[in-house]
Amino acid sequence: MAEPLSNSKPGLLEAPVLSRIRRNHALEHATLHVLSSRLPHTALMGHSDMGGFWIIGEVSPEDLHAAVQEALTRLRAGEADLAVHPNCGTNYVTAGVLAGLSGAAAMLTAGRRWQDKLSRLPLAASLATLALIAAQPLALSIQRHITTSGQPGSLEVVAITNKTQGRMTLNRIETRG
């Protein structure tokens, strides 16, 4: 008989390094959600790592601090959907991999002559399109279950700094926990 989930050992995603990155990634997404609702015409990007995350774009320190705190509070209150963002790189990677593999599969099964391969081009395009359609819900699920964790646990913000590099403003949010 299978061991109950509550007694099972933590999986790879709960390893300390991955858990921190996933929780930081979730807080990054939640912060971007809050900022986009407050600053709807501001272009922002994010990037997460074990020590925290970056918000790249023009945002005042006061707005950023308030957004990070609201995002963390809302995640702790159970708003795990804030951890999933429609513009996450996970979405683009998932779409690219699925479309590339499906297109390649169609082309690799063609004959040796270039005319044979060319005749398979409509099939390759159709399969790639279907893969892009399938990638949308799949990528959101991958975010929800693998690349982010909507449960911040003991994660806390320890510092928020910014610097300008050329025309870019780089905002660093450092975390621990």
Side-chain angles (χ1 to χ4, degrees), residues 117-128:
K117 294 188 184 309
L118 191 59
S119 71
R120 297 298 292 263
L121 195 55
L123 175 63
S126 296
L127 291 176

Side-chain angles (χ1 to χ4, degrees), residues 110-118:
R112 291 189 174 276
R113 298 177 318 137
W114 70 270
Q115 292 93 339
D116 294 335
K117 294 188 184 309
L118 191 59

Side-chain angles (χ1 to χ4, degrees), residues 1 56 95 131-132 136 145:
M1 194 150 118
I56 303 161
L132 290 173
Q136 291 176 347
H145 300 290

Side-chain angles (χ1 to χ4, degrees), residues 3-129:
E3 194 174 299
L5 288 176
S6 60
N7 293 333
S8 63
K9 294 178 183 173
L12 178 63
L13 295 177
E14 297 309 316
V17 170
L18 292 180
S19 174
R20 279 284 299 281
I21 293 169
R22 293 176 67 225
R23 290 180 293 133
N24 284 330
H25 195 188
L27 183 55
E28 170 212 324
H29 284 180
T31 300
L32 287 168
H33 278 297
V34 171
L35 286 169
S36 67
S37 70
R38 292 180 180 181
L39 308 167
H41 302 293
T42 304
L44 299 169
M45 296 186 308
H47 174 76
S48 302
D49 55 47
M50 193 175 106
F53 60 98
W54 296 89
I55 298 293
I56 303 161
E58 300 269 341
V59 58
S60 74
E62 298 80 19
D63 285 342
L64 181 59
H65 185 270
V68 170
Q69 292 306 319
E70 179 182 332
L72 187 54
T73 297
R74 290 174 64 184
L75 285 171
R76 284 199 174 115
E79 290 187 58
D81 283 347
L82 289 173
V84 177
H85 199 281
N87 294 326
C88 179
T90 300
N91 297 3
Y92 302 122
V93 169
T94 302
V97 167
L98 290 180
L101 289 175
S102 63
M107 299 307 281
L108 289 174
T109 59
R112 291 189 174 276
R113 298 177 318 137
W114 70 270
Q115 292 93 339
D116 294 335
K117 294 188 184 309
L118 191 59
S119 71
R120 297 298 292 263
L121 195 55
L123 175 63
S126 296
L127 291 176
T129 300

